Amino acid sequence: MPGVDRLSVVGFAFFIATGCRVGDPVGRTLITADEIQARVLELAEAISHDYAGRDLLLICVLKGAAIFWADLCRAIRVPCQSDFVAMESYGDASAPLEEPRFTKAADVTLANRDILIVEDIIDTGHTSACLRGLLRAQSPRSLALCALLDKAERRQVNSPIEYCGFVIPNAFVVGYGLDFAQQYRHLPFIAVLETQPEH
Ligand code: IMP
């Protein structure tokens, strides 16, 4: 190709293949896009089986679970509705708040519904334990949790995960909705951040 050196072509091919910019601190891929998609189908299959004939309402926890929710709900084969909540888990600090709070509550009535919370990752467990408490107070018929990732060894609060995508080691991960400083949510795979933030 006249005017274009070979390194540029290789670099551009890498950019296209990975979705990364040169200099991004995204490290090794932990879970590939294909592995995620296969697991999402399995989770949707189990949920479709368990919620047949029920009144399923998916509660997607913004922002991290948005991409997971979008793939999951499209693979669920039983009638379901969706709503969205947002939680403040960390405030301005790097340590989780003892009592995370809603920055956006659900719009629909939760009473007597079969609620399935859709979360990106369960880390210490504070956020999901608190969210369960807040939602349970609205008297749903049933309440369960589906999380894409479980960082089990970091758990501080017991928080059951009825539908779990992957148990992962203790590392800060990004991609498929998960961010670091609002970056990397768009990556179709889960990667370990090269420089691990304190968390
Ligand atoms: P918790 O410690 O279980 O309360 O997790 C709170 C929130 O921290 C999660 O919903 C994520 O938004 C965020 N989080 C925890 N670990 C990671 C990670 O490895 N990558 C990106 N976000 C994370």
Side-chain angles (χ1 to χ4, degrees):
M1 261 186 282
V4 181
D5 64 277
R6 192 173 166 279
L7 259 184
S8 303
V9 173
V10 172
F12 184 67
F14 177 81
F15 173 87
I16 294 296
T18 64
C20 296
R21 293 186 300 272
V22 174
D24 268 353
V26 171
R28 72 187 166 90
T29 298
L30 193 62
I31 308 170
T32 66
D34 285 349
E35 288 168 338
I36 294 171
Q37 294 307 323
R39 188 69 185 122
V40 167
L41 291 183
E42 289 175 356
L43 292 171
E45 197 56 41
I47 292 165
S48 301
H49 175 268
D50 295 350
Y51 284 87
R54 296 169 67 185
D55 182 19
L56 176 58
L57 174 63
L58 302 177
I59 296 286
C60 170
V61 184
L62 298 172
K63 303 174 186 169
I67 292 177
F68 176 41
W69 164 82
D71 284 344
L72 184 72
C73 74
R74 285 179 294 172
I76 288 176
R77 295 177 295 98
V78 294
C80 72
Q81 293 182 357
S82 294
D83 202 351
F84 303 87
V85 299
M87 302 284 291
E88 185 180 41
S89 315
Y90 282 76
D92 293 331
S94 58
L97 296 169
E98 280 301 313
E99 289 197 28
R101 47 190 173 251
F102 279 131
T103 53
K104 184 209 173 297
D107 294 321
V108 302
T109 304
L110 307 186
N112 296 319
R113 311 290 307 270
D114 292 304
I115 309 290
L116 182 60
I117 301 167
V118 181
E119 267 272 27
D120 52 357
I121 185 167
I122 309 301
D123 183 8
T124 63
H126 282 282
T127 306
S128 60
C130 178
L131 180 56
R132 273 183 186 265
L134 292 168
L135 297 181
R136 197 174 294 115
Q138 299 180 52
S139 307
R141 182 181 299 124
S142 66
L143 185 58
L145 174 77
C146 176
L148 178 68
L149 304 175
D150 176 9
K151 226 188 274 185
E153 65 189 83
R154 289 254 309 158
R155 199 74 84 256
Q156 295 174 2
V157 175
N158 182 30
S159 181
I161 306 174
E162 283 80 0
Y163 303 92
C164 175
F166 304 90
V167 177
I168 63 165
N170 179 14
F172 198 89
V173 294
V174 294
Y176 198 68
L178 288 113
D179 76 307
F180 174 63
Q182 303 301 326
Q183 295 271 17
Y184 313 116
R185 293 190 196 276
H186 66 292
L187 299 176
F189 50 84
I190 304 280
V192 175
L193 207 63
E194 195 73 72
T195 308
Q196 292 286 302
E198 299 223 347
H199 73 294

